[in-house]
Amino acid sequence: MARVLFKGNEVIAEAALRAGVDAFFGYPITPQNEVPEYLAREMPKRGGVFLQTESELAGINMVLGASAAGARVMTSSSGPGLCLMLEAISSMALTRLPAVIVDVVRSGPGMGDLAPAQEDWKLSGNGAYKIPILLPGNVQELANMVFEAFDIADQYSTPVLVLADGMLGQMMEPVDFDKLPERRKNLPDKPWRMASVGEKGYRTMMTLTYGRPLTEFTDRFENETMPKIIANETRYEAYGLEDADVVVAAYGTSARMAKAAIKEIKTDLKFGFIRPMTAWPFPKEPFEKIGPNCKAVFCPEINTIGQMIDDVRIAVAGRMPVYHIGNTAAGPMNTANIIDALRAYVEGVAK
Amino acid sequence: MSIVYERAKSLTPVDFTYCPGCGHGIATNLVAKVIDELGIQNDTISVSSVGCGGMNPMFFDTDTIIPMHGRAPATATGIKRIHPDKIVWTYQGDGDLASIGTAEIVHAAHRGEKITTVFINNTTYGMTGGQMAPTTLVGQKTTTSPYGRDESHCGKPIRMSELLATIEGAKFIARVAIDTPAHIRQAQKMIKRAFECQMKGLGFAMVEVLSTCPTNWGMTPTESMKWQTEHMIPYYPLGIYKDFE
């Protein structure tokens, strides 16, 4: 198949269909509405369950049920909806139920604004847990990551979050669906699935775990599963780190702006670049490779108070100052804001 | 000698952990008997709830799952949509169904979701220690209505059967009680009919079971049965609110 022009949100839906999604449950919210609209159109023709739910709360709990039933299942939403889903996501992380959740991020806090944003980095909820979070940087990568998210979810039996900012959801770009990653082989069976005793020949009791089972469970996750995910699924793009004077670290749409900004600035200073492609596991390695000449790390993010920057600071471990570049009173961060901030720094060094 | 009573086959060989005299024991037993009677144990997937009902996954010898608080109908929907040929049912208390989970139960009925719900109404939050529920009767004392439920402060108790019966997708709605042997026999019949509604693929079905909570009501089991007869049934009339052919 040749390259076709596709809107980001529709790419999410098409990639999910190609990954063999069995069911989608979701509630309308801007800026991700083309995801359910596309699936509502296509799933009756191509197979699978599409259901518009009464709320994100109900939607994610249907996802939980369908996942428990052994299905490949997904939902999509944006920040306010993701908040409503956190209890169930946290529970699915504990119960080890696979699912794909796509967050087409808009700006908050609260109901916020419909403008694109990078603000849901710190996926939270109650309890200590981690789930893989993928950070697509363009529409092709959005297709690839949504497709692969289903395999990652099944391989480690975990919910997986794809964090796509509103810009990516709403933009059209060429995409080639022949370039999707290979389907992973030897994915584990789901012997725990809810399917009735008659179908499996044994009984499944899928419950909240209390007391000792809980600590045994979380211990196993921390000591067995987490290291595997960190070793196998950490992703990033990086260049120019060893002799960099300044490093710019950014993900998603702001990474594209940052690349443009670095090109634009005329200076003798050398810029290195890091683009995390997973928020968890966070790629510490490229930050450890930053050479001794580096004097500063900049983190442009489309938000007011930096979020990724905290992970960057942990990775940099105090070796150099880390600065936030973000939204201004005039609106969401754009390339000019990054250029201005970097130029101010460059000129400051020159003095 | 013939067997006149035996433990339901759909129950695991585990002792109930409900309080002595609790209505949950009767209701759980009734559902298990119905599952036996209909011969659907091997096809059944049980969705419990958060609250005392959350203990029953240990008791039902079927696939069982505890969902999030109030979301049993949503979780059951997810399971049923993947396994449309299986029998999927929820077991929910009044805090779960009539308070935090009102949206999910209303919309499961609204979609005509082909699931069965057994709703245990004992007018209180049992597991958390006897707080006021939306079903608590006016004047009834609980730990969060220590002077008695005051209508001017928090309204009159909600009647879920009447409410759900107005929804097109609900095909069978009945309210039963367990205060007398006759009512218990009737309750079993209604629970059976609610499962048959699903087996026929008609739509949503619910049986509201008026129950007791001797521990949190501060009564003996006998007193609590009498309280159910004298105080609950007059406010929550028994009967079939929606039926199918």
Side-chain angles (χ1 to χ4, degrees):
Chain A
M1 190 173 162
R3 299 204 310 166
V4 283
L5 197 59
F6 244 78
K7 189 170 188 172
N9 282 338
E10 297 191 329
V11 158
I12 293 169
E14 180 60 32
L17 286 168
R18 285 167 187 257
V21 66
D22 295 310
F24 175 94
F25 302 94
Y27 184 79
I29 184 171
T30 306
Q32 61 80 55
N33 291 316
E34 293 85 354
V35 181
E37 286 166 357
Y38 190 96
L39 291 171
R41 205 160 61 229
E42 293 298 317
M43 287 182 95
K45 291 186 273 179
R46 291 158 72 172
V49 175
F50 170 86
L51 192 60
Q52 180 171 322
T53 65
E54 64 267 32
S55 67
E56 290 91 349
L57 262 180
I60 192 70
N61 282 284
M62 289 177 197
V63 165
L64 188 155
S67 173
R72 283 205 142 184
V73 56
M74 81 176 282
T75 186
S76 61
S77 190
S78 191
L82 189 73
C83 288
L84 293 177
M85 294 183 189
L86 286 174
E87 182 199 27
I89 294 173
S90 167
S91 181
M92 290 170 80
L94 169 69
T95 315
R96 309 308 313 282
L97 287 175
V100 174
I101 301 127
V102 180
D103 178 8
V104 183
V105 185
R106 65 192 239 183
S107 86
M111 202 138 77
D113 191 353
L114 304 182
Q118 296 180 301
E119 297 192 335
D120 301 342
W121 181 276
K122 291 182 189 297
L123 171 80
S124 193
N126 64 308
Y129 72 97
K130 297 276 189 191
I131 62 169
I133 302 176
L134 311 182
L135 308 171
N138 57 52
V139 172
Q140 179 73 52
E141 209 167 78
L142 182 61
N144 294 3
M145 283 185 170
V146 168
F147 183 89
E148 202 170 4
F150 286 90
D151 281 356
I152 296 172
D154 280 346
Q155 183 170 336
Y156 303 97
S157 212
T158 175
V160 174
L161 178 68
V162 180
L163 212 52
D165 58 69
M167 193 84 82
L168 212 46
Q170 291 296 328
M171 78 167 53
M172 287 184 91
E173 267 190 328
V175 60
D176 186 343
F177 288 104
D178 284 342
K179 292 194 175 150
L180 293 175
E182 296 246 326
R183 276 285 279 270
R184 295 189 184 188
K185 294 179 180 67
N186 305 319
L187 292 176
D189 292 334
K190 298 178 177 178
W192 40 260
R193 74 193 189 284
M194 309 279 298
S196 80
V197 175
E199 191 159 314
K200 304 192 306 282
Y202 55 89
R203 173 173 180 253
T204 297
M205 186 166 75
M206 195 175 282
T207 67
L208 310 162
T209 41
Y210 290 114
R212 179 100 187 272
L214 175 62
T215 53
E216 276 176 8
F217 178 90
T218 48
D219 183 73
R220 194 160 66 244
F221 180 72
E222 186 184 350
N223 293 309
E224 291 174 24
T225 312
M226 266 180 74
K228 279 184 202 151
I229 297 176
I230 291 168
N232 301 338
E233 308 299 340
T234 307
R235 289 180 217 179
Y236 62 90
E237 173 197 351
Y239 51 77
L241 299 178
E242 269 139 45
D243 57 349
D245 297 304
V246 179
V247 167
V248 180
Y251 73 98
T253 297
S254 61
R256 298 169 78 152
M257 296 179 187
K259 278 186 184 176
I262 290 170
K263 270 190 197 158
E264 186 76 22
I265 295 193
K266 306 282 181 276
T267 172
D268 293 335
L269 293 183
K270 287 184 182 136
F271 278 94
F273 179 77
I274 299 172
R275 177 169 75 97
M277 293 160 71
T278 48
W280 189 80
F282 184 74
K284 293 203 178 86
E285 189 186 45
F287 294 93
E288 285 157 6
K289 284 185 185 160
I290 296 174
N293 297 338
C294 183
K295 299 289 183 296
V297 175
F298 284 87
C299 295
E301 298 179 59
I302 310 173
N303 57 39
T304 305
I305 303 167
Q307 296 193 327
M308 179 194 73
I309 193 170
D310 292 347
D311 283 288
V312 170
R313 285 197 171 112
I314 291 167
V316 163
R319 289 171 57 210
M320 60 215 83
V322 180
Y323 300 109
H324 171 65
I325 305 171
N327 297 352
T328 65
M333 185 191 72
N334 55 38
T335 311
N337 300 137
I338 305 176
I339 293 171
D340 288 348
L342 295 180
R343 188 168 282 149
Y345 177 80
V346 167
E347 285 168 3
V349 170
K351 281 177 197 164
Chain B
M1 283 220 305
S2 64
I3 297 169
V4 292
Y5 184 86
E6 62 181 339
R7 191 176 177 81
K9 290 185 177 60
S10 301
L11 292 175
T12 58
V14 172
D15 292 342
F16 287 172
T17 46
Y18 304 126
C19 299
C22 167
H24 273 297
I26 296 170
T28 299
N29 209 17
L30 288 179
V31 177
K33 282 182 181 176
V34 165
I35 291 173
D36 282 4
E37 240 180 278
L38 294 169
I40 53 174
Q41 183 187 353
N42 276 344
D43 296 322
T44 296
I45 299 173
S46 307
V47 180
S48 70
S49 54
V50 170
C52 294
M55 291 189 278
N56 81 18
M58 292 188 290
F59 312 141
F60 281 99
D61 193 6
T62 64
D63 276 5
T64 55
I65 182 170
I66 301 183
M68 300 290 97
H69 194 19
R71 319 294 167 225
T75 301
T77 296
I79 295 171
K80 182 73 180 185
R81 295 281 177 147
I82 297 304
H83 299 305
D85 55 331
K86 304 297 176 197
I87 306 300
V88 181
W89 71 287
T90 73
Y91 185 94
Q92 302 173 256
D94 41 11
D96 196 85
L97 183 143
S99 187
I100 196 169
T102 43
E104 284 74 16
I105 198 70
V106 164
H107 285 277
H110 151 242
R111 288 189 303 272
E113 209 63 57
K114 294 169 189 68
I115 60 171
T116 302
T117 291
V118 177
F119 164 41
I120 309 298
N121 177 356
N122 61 8
T123 74
T124 191
Y125 282 78
M127 180 64 91
T128 44
Q131 291 80 13
M132 187 181 72
T135 46
T136 297
L137 297 180
V138 170
Q140 187 181 344
K141 289 181 179 174
T142 70
T143 59
T144 51
S145 58
Y147 309 109
R149 179 173 182 162
D150 176 359
E151 181 189 339
S152 69
H153 173 61
C154 50
K156 282 184 164 182
I158 191 166
R159 294 185 180 102
M160 290 307 294
S161 288
E162 287 85 336
L163 187 158
L164 292 171
T166 65
I167 298 173
E168 288 292 328
K171 299 301 179 192
F172 182 76
I173 304 285
R175 182 184 287 123
V176 299
I178 53 161
D179 58 328
T180 65
H183 279 160
I184 290 173
R185 279 196 297 278
Q186 178 68 5
Q188 186 173 341
K189 277 185 200 154
M190 293 298 107
I191 292 170
K192 186 176 176 188
R193 195 151 172 79
F195 275 91
E196 283 168 344
C197 180
Q198 178 179 174
M199 291 164 77
K200 287 174 188 283
L202 298 177
F204 178 78
M206 183 184 86
V207 177
E208 174 176 351
V209 182
L210 300 184
S211 188
T212 59
C213 185
T215 300
N216 288 304
W217 290 358
M219 296 180 196
T220 66
T222 314
E223 285 167 352
S224 62
M225 286 300 181
K226 201 170 162 221
W227 196 84
Q228 181 180 151
T229 310
E230 290 174 358
H231 297 274
M232 288 181 73
I233 294 176
Y235 187 84
Y236 295 114
L238 307 184
I240 296 174
Y241 287 86
K242 195 87 174 268
D243 204 357
F244 56 93
E245 289 293 308

